Amino acid sequence: MWFFARDPVRDFPFELSPDPPEGGPPGPWVLHRGRKKATGSPVSIFVYDVKPGADEQTQVAKAAFKRLKTLRHPNILAYIDGLETDKCLHVVTEAVTPLKMYLKERAEAGGLKELELSWGLHQIVKALSFLVNDCSLIHNNVCMAAVFVDRAGEWKLGGLDYMYSSQGNGGGPPRKGVPELEQYDPPELADGSGRAVREKWSADMWRLGCLIWEVFNGSLPRAAALRNPGKIPKSLVPHYCELVGANPKVRPNPARFLQNCRAPGGFLNNRFVETNLFLEEIQIKEPAEKQKFFQELSKSLDSFPEDFCRHKVLPQLLTAFEFGSAGAVVLTPLFKVGKFLNAEEYQQKIIPVVVKMFSSTDRAMRIRLLQQMEQFIQYLDEPTVNTQIFPHVVHGFLDTNPAIREQTVKSMLLLAPKLNEANLNVELMKHFARLQAKDEQGPIRCNTTVCLGKIGSYLSASTRHRVLTSAFSRATKDPFAPSRVAGVLGFAATHNLYSMNDCAHKILPVLCGLTVDPEKSVRDQAFKAIRSFLSQLESVSEDPTQLAEVEKDVHAASSPGMGGAAASWAGWAVTGVSSLTSKLIRAHPAAAPAETNVPQRPTPEGLPAPAPTLVPATPATPGPWETQEEGTDTADDSSAADRWDDEDWGSLEQEAESVLVQQEDWSTGGQASRAGQTSSLDVKSPESDWSSWDAEGSWEQGWQDPSPPEPPPEGTRLASEYNWGGPEPSDKGDPFAALSARRETGAQLRPDSWGDDNWEGLETENRQGKAELARKKREERRREMEAKRAEKKAAKGPMKLGTRKLD
């Protein structure tokens, strides 16, 4: 039986890239790009080929292999794996680029900012402080060739070939034998004067000064060039001079050098360094400190390097959300960093977090997600929107906070193109109908109409025919003037979705009634819309062959392209409403908004006059409701968004518990005791709204032709049967005697008699009668419920686990 020796290089789980080597530190090592065979993740591989007769150099390479394997520090090159054979040494580290090559690439792309250089030098000095003060080791090789940069722009200290112990137990410093490295030795070692090194860190701090000179001025030609600081920043020059001083005793300890440079006005005292230091210690920070940090982080990200944001800030934000209690404050910096990602990275890193955030019960997080949806909506696919996001978003339509409801309505502009048939044409329309008819906030009713006009092109043909005309007609009868404007503009924005018959019989009569509206803004928009529809009808009348072309979109399937014409015809936006609603909410955060009677407009003949409607008192600012371009109030919105953290939004879980308690009260008859205390608008529960939507909340209800009059009771004679003045005298009594008696009792009033009767007394008596009748009904209902409770209590015996006690 034959046994074949296995090749350790072939079995190594890492492989070299076919690209040419990137060089490496002066010496025997050669740096290659590589990847892990199993996952394909990039790595860097330092390769040393053992040559005969180079025993001293081989020992230096093996010592460096051992040092790198045992030293672990965030600012020292991270060791991953290694391979040692008789022919070669392979050291696998994190993927890095030599600093010299990195600076060259960035110079071609526009150069490095001082912020990046300050943090890079901070990391190298911190690594030296760790080696000298914690490990009692002398690096002995600090130069640009020993520094590497990872993909996040973090500087790492490598080149550990000539490291030795400062305590003397490992012998003296090894001989380098490389002329390129000897020029970085301090003068006390090079001039042979015999001056002793008084401090263990003196030689490394001299070499640090050489590194600083090279970073700002390029490769060091000779030691004498250190006398001229060149392009070194003025704030760093005094500390640099301490490093390259001829007297080794005055060279500072690395820890003290950091302290001096971090003083006010120092080169290392800036926002970028502070952010990095906080991120390194974020796990031990207090929750309040994290909240403040993330709130201020978004303002600084614009000046930070892109690679740093992607590879350093983003992982910390994701970790803070996943395992910390940062909450909604991470959203703004998270989406700002997300702009630096490509589509694939966004899907892998951001979208799972967004989906999880939508299921949160934190109101502040929900409203921030809705406000910033335009930043991530393009990365969401339709199945994710319909199954994982929309079911959570629709809860906002039922929220008691007006800001949540309004922002939910506005978010539908972005979600509508991705919704399926059921969610868009059934579920969403049901919520819109209830909001437009029953929401107590006028701006929200207005926004609902505006949003419906913008997403009308996405609706199916049957839904458009059933909903749009009724919805916009209802909006034109809203007591809130901007809602009436929105109704007119809704007709105009969707003018291509109506047949000519609907324009003539349904839309124009509604618009003509608005030409005498009390608000001039409503009248102006009504006249514009009337002229547009009339010109369309006139063109078809002149040339009937144009009818098919004009009505081509009426029965067409939903198409995103049809929304462009609507947007260009009426450039109306919802941004103006947001600021008004936000001001209203902040002005009355706890108390219910004051309500006032708004005078009704004249109604067309044949239709009953609507009862006066109560609407919240809002500032009389008609300007934001006029037609305007998108984004006119962006500043107001952004300022309002910055103050969301100051509001006490509460949790949706608490809201759900309160709703459950109310439902239990309703099931036990608790609504009977509250029936007379709330108006018809407020007494409806969410369940009652859902169950009675087809009867009360549908847009068709109340906007169709009046029902035919009921036939008169049997035995009633018509007016035409009487002799109204003919020659034959009537022997019958006064046919209106009964009606007069009924009128005197106040049960029936003639609509054509004005000013002869005491209307105030009749109204008072009528109200008193209704109140008395309601009180009797409540009392009767209360007695019935008490009797039922008594019967159940006597019959059911002891309480069972899981049942609710009723009294």
Side-chain angles (χ1 to χ4, degrees), residues 454-530:
K454 284 184 171 286
I455 68 174
S457 60
Y458 299 106
L459 302 175
S460 64
S462 60
T463 304
R464 293 198 302 263
H465 179 73
R466 188 181 75 253
V467 165
L468 293 183
T469 305
S470 300
F472 297 141
S473 298
R474 169 179 286 172
T476 60
K477 296 173 175 61
D478 196 291
F480 192 54
S483 293
R484 302 199 294 275
V485 174
V488 177
L489 293 175
F491 277 129
T494 56
H495 66 283
N496 59 321
L497 303 179
Y498 307 110
S499 65
M500 292 297 98
N501 284 332
D502 286 346
C503 292
H505 294 93
K506 295 182 179 180
I507 298 176
L508 280 175
V510 174
L511 295 176
C512 289
L514 295 176
T515 57
V516 292
D517 192 274
E519 296 289 336
K520 188 177 186 303
S521 60
V522 180
R523 298 196 300 270
D524 292 344
Q525 298 301 331
F527 282 119
K528 291 180 182 178
I530 290 172

Side-chain angles (χ1 to χ4, degrees), residues 297-496:
L297 176 62
S298 180
K299 304 175 184 177
S300 306
L301 288 177
D302 295 331
S303 61
F304 289 176
E306 179 179 330
D307 291 338
F308 169 78
C309 294
R310 292 174 55 193
H311 302 294
K312 183 74 177 290
V313 176
L314 181 59
Q316 293 291 348
L317 292 173
L318 297 177
T319 302
F321 170 75
E322 188 73 21
F323 304 106
S325 57
V329 294
V330 303
L331 289 179
T332 301
L334 180 66
F335 292 136
K336 184 170 285 190
V337 174
K339 296 178 181 178
F340 301 129
L341 305 179
N342 56 40
E344 183 179 357
E345 290 176 326
Y346 206 101
Q347 286 287 341
Q348 294 176 352
K349 298 179 179 180
I350 306 294
I351 294 303
V353 177
V354 170
V355 173
K356 185 175 181 179
M357 285 179 176
F358 269 109
S359 62
S360 173
T361 58
D362 183 8
R363 273 195 173 100
M365 181 174 293
R366 173 70 57 83
I367 202 165
R368 279 186 178 272
L369 282 171
L370 296 176
Q371 286 175 331
Q372 304 183 47
M373 186 178 291
E374 62 182 353
Q375 300 189 29
F376 58 84
I377 186 64
Q378 67 268 26
Y379 301 104
L380 296 174
D381 54 15
E382 294 186 7
T384 302
V385 171
N386 286 280
T387 60
Q388 301 184 55
I389 292 181
F390 183 75
H392 296 293
V393 172
V394 293
H395 293 312
F397 290 121
L398 301 173
D399 201 282
T400 57
N401 192 302
I404 299 288
R405 298 200 303 274
E406 182 196 28
Q407 205 63 43
T408 304
V409 171
K410 292 168 65 175
S411 68
M412 292 302 113
L413 294 174
L414 301 171
L415 288 178
K418 297 179 179 290
L419 295 180
N420 57 29
E421 181 79 12
N423 285 337
L424 178 61
N425 294 285
V426 180
E427 188 73 13
L428 182 58
M429 292 301 102
K430 185 184 298 184
H431 287 290
F432 271 20
R434 185 181 52 80
L435 285 176
Q436 193 194 40
K438 299 182 179 181
D439 199 284
E440 68 275 7
Q441 295 287 342
I444 295 179
R445 299 196 302 272
C446 175
N447 263 347
T448 304
T449 305
V450 169
C451 185
L452 182 63
K454 284 184 171 286
I455 68 174
S457 60
Y458 299 106
L459 302 175
S460 64
S462 60
T463 304
R464 293 198 302 263
H465 179 73
R466 188 181 75 253
V467 165
L468 293 183
T469 305
S470 300
F472 297 141
S473 298
R474 169 179 286 172
T476 60
K477 296 173 175 61
D478 196 291
F480 192 54
S483 293
R484 302 199 294 275
V485 174
V488 177
L489 293 175
F491 277 129
T494 56
H495 66 283
N496 59 321

Side-chain angles (χ1 to χ4, degrees), residues 671-704:
Q671 74 277 22
S673 62
R674 297 190 299 270
Q677 299 177 10
T678 56
S679 64
S680 59
L681 272 178
D682 299 329
V683 76
K684 297 289 184 182
S685 68
E687 267 78 6
S688 64
D689 286 341
W690 288 107
S691 61
S692 62
W693 181 79
D694 292 331
E696 297 179 359
S698 63
W699 273 313
E700 294 87 345
Q701 186 73 18
W703 303 114
Q704 299 178 358

Side-chain angles (χ1 to χ4, degrees), residues 131-387:
L131 292 175
V132 171
N133 298 315
D134 298 335
C135 305
S136 297
L137 294 173
I138 306 300
H139 186 274
N140 198 33
N141 192 26
V142 180
C143 60
M144 185 176 289
V147 180
F148 303 88
V149 185
D150 67 4
R151 59 179 184 173
E154 306 260 84
W155 293 16
K156 308 285 184 175
L157 183 60
L160 309 183
D161 305 64
Y162 309 106
M163 182 179 291
Y164 65 96
S165 175
S166 63
Q167 298 176 348
N169 52 10
R175 190 175 67 87
K176 297 180 181 179
V178 181
E180 293 88 346
L181 298 179
E182 292 178 352
Q183 66 175 343
Y184 298 104
D185 290 338
E188 61 268 17
L189 297 181
D191 61 6
S193 60
R195 286 181 294 179
V197 178
R198 298 300 178 91
E199 302 292 349
K200 56 184 179 181
W201 58 79
S202 297
D204 278 348
M205 297 308 287
W206 169 276
R207 299 184 181 99
L208 175 64
C210 298
L211 172 64
I212 293 175
W213 194 95
E214 288 187 315
V215 166
F216 290 99
N217 299 296
S219 298
L220 181 65
R222 56 189 182 277
L226 297 174
R227 299 175 182 177
N228 182 14
K231 299 179 182 179
I232 298 177
K234 293 181 179 180
S235 58
L236 186 58
V237 169
H239 309 289
Y240 160 79
C241 293
E242 291 181 353
L243 298 178
V244 294
N247 186 357
K249 295 176 62 177
V250 300
R251 297 171 195 161
N253 184 288
R256 189 167 69 85
F257 178 82
L258 280 180
Q259 185 178 359
N260 295 339
C261 293
R262 291 275 295 142
F267 182 69
L268 303 182
N269 183 23
N270 55 61
R271 176 63 181 168
F272 189 56
V273 173
E274 292 174 358
T275 300
N276 279 279
L277 293 176
F278 190 95
L279 289 175
E280 289 183 351
E281 302 174 353
I282 193 171
Q283 302 300 332
I284 60 175
K285 296 294 185 180
E286 295 293 330
E289 294 178 297
K290 295 181 183 179
Q291 290 278 338
K292 183 179 179 181
F293 171 76
F294 287 123
Q295 287 176 1
E296 299 175 352
L297 176 62
S298 180
K299 304 175 184 177
S300 306
L301 288 177
D302 295 331
S303 61
F304 289 176
E306 179 179 330
D307 291 338
F308 169 78
C309 294
R310 292 174 55 193
H311 302 294
K312 183 74 177 290
V313 176
L314 181 59
Q316 293 291 348
L317 292 173
L318 297 177
T319 302
F321 170 75
E322 188 73 21
F323 304 106
S325 57
V329 294
V330 303
L331 289 179
T332 301
L334 180 66
F335 292 136
K336 184 170 285 190
V337 174
K339 296 178 181 178
F340 301 129
L341 305 179
N342 56 40
E344 183 179 357
E345 290 176 326
Y346 206 101
Q347 286 287 341
Q348 294 176 352
K349 298 179 179 180
I350 306 294
I351 294 303
V353 177
V354 170
V355 173
K356 185 175 181 179
M357 285 179 176
F358 269 109
S359 62
S360 173
T361 58
D362 183 8
R363 273 195 173 100
M365 181 174 293
R366 173 70 57 83
I367 202 165
R368 279 186 178 272
L369 282 171
L370 296 176
Q371 286 175 331
Q372 304 183 47
M373 186 178 291
E374 62 182 353
Q375 300 189 29
F376 58 84
I377 186 64
Q378 67 268 26
Y379 301 104
L380 296 174
D381 54 15
E382 294 186 7
T384 302
V385 171
N386 286 280
T387 60

Side-chain angles (χ1 to χ4, degrees), residues 724-747:
W724 293 96
E728 297 181 2
S730 176
D731 57 351
K732 297 180 177 57
D734 183 6
F736 299 103
L739 295 179
S740 301
R742 291 168 61 189
R743 184 189 64 182
E744 292 173 359
T745 60

